Structure formats: structure tokens, C-alpha cells
């Protein structure tokens, strides 16, 4: 029996990072992993500019008290540049975002300026702080700064910042290719008739979604019956086409549990009893150049072992910096059973209560009860050493 932590470390030690990047336009980079850091090629903003619609002046013309009359020498919209410089006694009407003219370092918002006469040729201004309402060149991002680190998963705001730097193409890690199959004579394809004794395949759909969420590309190999030659042929095909191969079912100790036997033949396999509940049996190993994961058949166990063992490995392969999700502490709203000596993962419902996080379980926690994953919005993570949880105790949760 090995611990969850040891299992994770052993798997991660076998995963290499992604190879050569691919170059894609910014419009196709959402949720992808950046392979090379992005640096600002110039200052943002590229020049000092006005933060308001108003009047640009030199600070020498700001009256310490009372009012002063200035001559308006022009009108500068955003996107234009004022040629020349303001002389003392002059102001320039300026729009938000327009570059500051020479000789000016302060902008009066138009609301505080009094126009004298109808022509708008002269204005009266009062005291204002020197430098007010000016956005300085480089105040957002100075040239040369790393604005997005390699290994970041790109969000909409990252794409906006990249675009603001004039960059339209990014170096991205290639998506890991993940071959996925279900095993079992009892497993039927949804949308097709089901023979007596059969159940519909749940795992291939939950796992497909999990893989795609992690940035992997799924190669769906369908359902493989518990027939040794068929399983061997399908796994062999999978290993040639993919970086990772994931199966579910057939790793417990029943007579039809062929995955281990076939893997011993085609590659190398570690068959683990992991000290966790649910999801105890798990096979991990190599299949040609691919990494193989034989997940348990019970639907909750297969999703959970994916989250614990496959997800960090996929993230590493995909080039991501962060391999584990954030957790938080919550107050247990109810008593929870727990055996010491193994990690237990319950499906929980996390909510805010009196200004703090509170969590209760979704009810029955059997490893076949997939509806607990649907009713829940988090995992409750209870460490090996811990015993039963009393109401009010603090527990660790990982939001889904
Ligand atoms: P096994 O590990 O193959 O013994 O499967 C353990 C349990 O999970 C059995 O009740 C199987 O019927 C069930 N099971 C296996 N594969 C799937 C699947 N793809 N979808 C839903 N349940 C499954
Ligand atoms: Mg089976």
C-alpha cells in the first residue's frame, strides 16, 4: 500500500515537460499554456497622455490661488499629436488618451474650467496639483518587463495585454494527446440498446471532460470487452498515437481484470494499492513511449484518481507551472466518518455561513454513486492521520 503523496511523486518523476512549442494567433490562445514568457517590447502607455477630457497646461501657469486666464491654442483628439509646444499663458484642449503636448505637464478636467466668451478661445482656471490627470509613459508596463510568465494558462485579460503590446502570435505548448478507453463486457455505449446486465458507460464521458478541462486532446478508443487479445490490440494502438493512455475498469482483483496482465506484456506496470478511499486500486506504468494509467471502474473512483494522479501529470506534460489546485479550510457542518491510515475524499457542498466557509457531505459516499459528484461542489480532503471529524472542526476542501 502506498500513500497518495508517494504515488503522485512517483508519477510526476516519470513525466517530461512538453517538447517544441507551436505558434498560434492570439485569437486561438485562450486556455492554452504559454511556452515562452512575453516581454513588453515598448513602454505602455507609449507616451505621457491625458487621463481626462480637459485642458493641458504647463504647471508654471497654475495660479496658487484665485484664477488665471489662458489662451486655448488648439484642440487635440485621441490619436493625434500636437506639433510644437505650449508657451506660457497657453492651454490646449485635449481628449482622454491623447499624448501630452510639449510644454504641458498637467490637465484640468473640462468641468473645472470656465470658458470665457462663446468662441472657446480663452479659459479661466484655478489652482490644481502639478501633474494632475496625466498618465505617465510606462506607468502600466515599462519596456522589457515580463508581463506573462511561461507556463501560465492564458486568460482573456492576458490576451488583451498581449494584444496591447502589438503581439499577434504566441508560442504555446502543444496539447498532450490522451487516448481513452473503457473496459468491461458489462459496459454499453449510450445511445445504443443495453442488454440485460449491462450498464451505460459513464467513465469515458466524465474522463473525456476531465481531460479536456486539463488542456488535453482526447483520442476516444471506445469500449473494449474483457477479451485479452482485443485489449492488447487496442492498448498497443493507443500507445502509438498518444502521450498518455487512460483506461477505466479492470484493475481490481477479479478474474476479468486483464489490464494488468496485458500491460505486463506490452510495457511495464506498477499495480498499486493506494491508501485512499474511494479509489484504492490503480495501475500506473509505461506503454511504449506513452504513460499509462489504469483507473478503477467505479465512476467516483475513476474521477477521483484522475484528479489526484492524472491531472498533475497532464499539467506537467502540458507545460503548466501550477500542478495542484488551490484548497481552502472550511468548518465541518456535520460529523464525518474517517479511518486513520488512509486519505479519504468525500464529496461536499461548500457554502458561506456567518461570514465563513462551511461544508457538509452530499450524503451516501459509495464509490459508485456518481450523483454525489454532481450534487457536490467540492472535495473534502481528510489526511491519513486524521480520525472521525466532529461538527465544527476545520477540514480542507478543494472546490470543483
Ligand atoms: P472493475 O474495476 O472493472 O471491476 O469495475 C468496478 C465497477 O465499476 C463495476 O461495478 C463496473 O461495472 C463499474 N464500471 C466499470 N467501468 C465502468 C464505466 N465505464 N462506466 C460506469 N461504470 C463502470
Ligand atoms: Mg471490469
Amino acid at each position: 500500500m502506498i500513500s497518495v503523496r508517494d504515488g503522485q511523486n512517483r508519477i510526476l518523476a516519470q513525466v517530461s515537460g512538453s517538447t517544441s512549442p507551436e505558434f498560434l494567433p492570439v485569437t486561438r490562445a485562450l486556455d492554452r499554456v504559454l511556452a515562452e514568457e512575453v516581454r513588453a517590447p515598448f513602454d505602455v502607455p507609449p507616451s505621457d497622455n491625458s487621463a481626462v477630457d480637459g485642458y493641458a497646461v504647463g504647471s508654471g501657469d497654475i495660479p496658487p490661488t484665485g484664477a488665471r486666464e489662458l489662451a486655448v491654442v488648439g484642440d487635440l483628439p485621441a490619436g493625434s499629436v500636437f506639433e510644437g509646444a505650449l508657451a506660457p499663458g497657453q492651454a490646449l484642449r485635449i481628449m482622454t488618451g491623447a499624448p501630452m503636448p510639449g510644454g504641458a505637464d498637467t490637465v484640468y478636467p473640462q468641468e473645472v474650467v470656465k470658458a470665457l466668451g462663446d468662441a472657446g478661445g480663452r479659459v479661466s482656471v484655478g489652482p490644481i496639483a502639478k501633474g494632475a490627470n496625466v498618465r505617465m509613459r510606462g506607468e502600466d508596463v515599462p519596456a522589457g518587463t515580463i508581463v506573462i510568465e511561461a507556463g501560465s494558462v492564458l486568460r482573456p485579460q492576458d490576451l488583451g495585454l498581449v494584444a496591447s503590446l502589438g503581439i499577434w502570435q504566441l508560442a504555446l505548448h502543444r496539447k498532450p494527446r490522451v487516448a481513452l478507453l473503457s473496459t468491461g463486457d458489462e459496459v454499453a455505449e449510450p445511445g445504443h440498446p443495453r442488454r440485460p446486465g449491462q450498464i451505460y458507460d459513464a467513465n469515458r464521458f466524465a474522463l473525456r471532460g476531465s481531460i479536456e478541462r486539463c488542456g488535453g486532446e482526447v483520442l476516444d478508443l471506445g469500449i473494449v470487452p474483457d477479451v485479452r487479445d482485443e485489449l492488447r490490440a487496442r492498448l498497443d494502438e493507443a500507445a502509438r498515437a498518444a502521450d498518455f493512455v487512460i483506461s477505466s475498469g479492470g484493475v481490481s482483483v477479479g478474474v476479468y481484470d486483464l489490464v494488468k496482465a496485458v500491460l505486463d506484456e506490452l510495457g511495464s506496470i506498477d499495480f498499486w494499492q493506494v491508501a485512499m478511499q474511494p479509489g484504492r486500486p490503480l495501475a500506473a506504468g509505461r506503454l511504449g513511449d506513452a504513460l499509462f494509467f489504469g483507473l478503477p471502474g467505479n465512476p467516483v473512483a475513476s474521477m477521483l484518481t484522475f484528479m489526484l494522479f492524472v491531472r498533475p501529470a497532464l499539467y506537467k506534460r502540458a507545460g503548466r507551472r501550477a500542478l495542484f489546485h488551490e484548497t481552502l479550510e472550511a468548518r465541518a457542518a456535520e460529523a464525518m466518518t474517517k479511518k486513520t491510515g488512509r486519505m479519504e475524499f468525500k464529496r461536499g457542498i461548500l457554502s458561506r455561513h456567518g461570514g465563513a466557509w462551511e461544508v457538509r457531505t452530499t450524503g451516501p459516499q459509495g464509490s459508485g454513486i456518481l450523483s454525489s459528484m454532481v450534487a457536490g461542489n467540492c472535495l473534502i480532503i481528510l489526511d491519513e492521520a486524521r480520525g472521525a471529524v466532529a461538527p465544527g472542526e476545520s477540514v480542507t476542501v478543494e472546490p470543483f
Side-chain angles (χ1 to χ4, degrees):
M1 194 86 88
I2 69 167
S3 71
V4 170
R5 212 81 69 209
D6 285 349
Q8 287 172 331
N9 290 336
R10 280 163 71 161
I11 287 168
L12 284 174
Q14 295 205 40
V15 181
S16 52
S18 117
T19 46
S20 60
E22 59 182 336
F23 292 86
L24 286 179
V26 173
T27 48
R28 291 181 57 201
L30 185 65
D31 292 334
R32 296 291 302 265
V33 184
L34 191 65
E36 290 164 14
E37 67 198 16
V38 173
R39 280 177 191 273
F42 49 77
D43 287 324
V44 181
S47 58
D48 298 352
N49 67 88
S50 178
V52 294
D53 292 342
Y55 292 86
V57 303
S59 51
D61 278 332
I62 300 171
T65 57
R68 178 168 298 182
E69 272 188 36
L70 300 173
V72 180
V73 296
D75 192 337
L76 186 65
S80 300
V81 173
F82 184 74
E83 306 294 349
L86 296 188
Q90 294 184 332
L92 179 71
R93 186 157 157 72
I94 193 168
M95 295 295 118
T96 306
M100 292 293 285
D105 58 10
T106 302
V107 181
Y108 284 95
Q110 63 186 20
E111 310 82 76
V112 306
V113 172
K114 210 184 308 158
L116 302 173
D118 291 339
R122 294 191 73 75
V123 290
S124 167
V125 299
I128 194 172
K130 176 180 174 179
N133 302 309
V134 178
R135 301 191 286 217
M136 302 305 287
R137 169 181 177 158
E139 74 171 24
D140 187 356
V141 184
T145 316
I146 296 175
V147 290
I148 311 178
E149 301 274 0
S152 303
V153 180
L154 295 167
R155 304 165 300 171
Q157 57 266 48
D158 299 319
L159 303 182
L161 184 58
V162 162
S164 78
L165 299 174
I167 297 168
W168 67 278
Q169 183 174 263
L170 290 169
L172 304 172
H173 284 295
R174 286 172 201 281
K175 290 182 160 202
R177 285 172 59 80
V178 184
L180 176 63
L181 54 95
S182 294
T183 72
D185 290 338
E186 81 282 24
V187 182
E189 185 71 33
H192 291 74
R194 175 172 63 116
R195 293 195 312 272
Q198 281 197 309
I199 54 163
Y200 281 121
D201 191 350
N203 296 349
R204 221 165 86 250
F205 299 89
L207 292 172
R208 167 189 273 272
S210 302
I211 293 163
E212 288 177 342
R213 273 271 166 88
C214 292
E217 208 162 85
V218 175
L219 191 70
D220 190 345
L221 298 185
I223 301 165
V224 187
D226 291 318
V227 176
R228 190 172 177 135
D229 288 345
E230 276 202 49
L231 188 59
R232 189 198 293 108
R234 209 75 71 89
L235 286 178
D236 200 31
E237 176 196 343
R240 289 172 206 287
D243 303 306
F244 283 39
V245 178
I246 300 176
S247 68
S248 69
V251 293
S252 51
V253 285
V255 279
Y256 292 106
D257 296 342
L258 301 168
V259 169
K260 178 172 158 30
V262 169
L263 259 292
D264 277 336
E265 228 175 289
L266 289 181
S268 60
I269 184 105
D270 265 336
F271 179 61
W272 296 347
Q273 298 285 341
V274 184
M276 63 185 277
Q277 165 69 30
R280 214 153 79 109
L282 172 76
R286 299 207 74 89
L287 192 57
D289 289 332
L291 215 56
F292 173 77
F293 295 89
L295 306 183
N298 277 309
V300 175
S302 68
M303 283 199 80
L304 182 63
T305 48
F306 180 93
M307 288 180 199
L308 291 173
F309 302 103
V310 185
R311 193 172 66 192
L314 255 182
Y315 282 170
K316 184 174 176 189
R317 172 75 197 184
R320 282 169 81 138
R321 267 181 308 148
L323 303 186
F324 296 97
H325 288 198
E326 299 290 341
T327 60
L328 55 95
E329 299 300 309
R331 205 177 66 83
E334 63 187 35
M336 298 176 197
T337 58
K338 167 71 173 63
K339 283 193 185 150
T340 55
R342 68 184 192 191
M343 277 185 92
E344 290 188 22
F345 300 87
K346 299 181 191 295
R347 276 69 69 209
I349 298 170
L350 182 67
S351 59
R352 291 293 283 180
H353 212 267
W357 290 111
E358 183 177 282
V359 68
R360 61 197 163 86
T361 67
T362 53
Q365 296 287 307
S367 65
I369 300 180
L370 187 52
S371 60
S372 68
M373 293 287 295
V374 174
N377 60 8
C378 69
L379 274 184
I380 303 169
I381 303 174
L382 303 173
D383 271 330
E384 281 98 337
R386 187 152 196 174
V389 176
E393 284 183 25
S394 174
V395 294
T396 301
V397 306
E398 181 180 311
F400 284 153

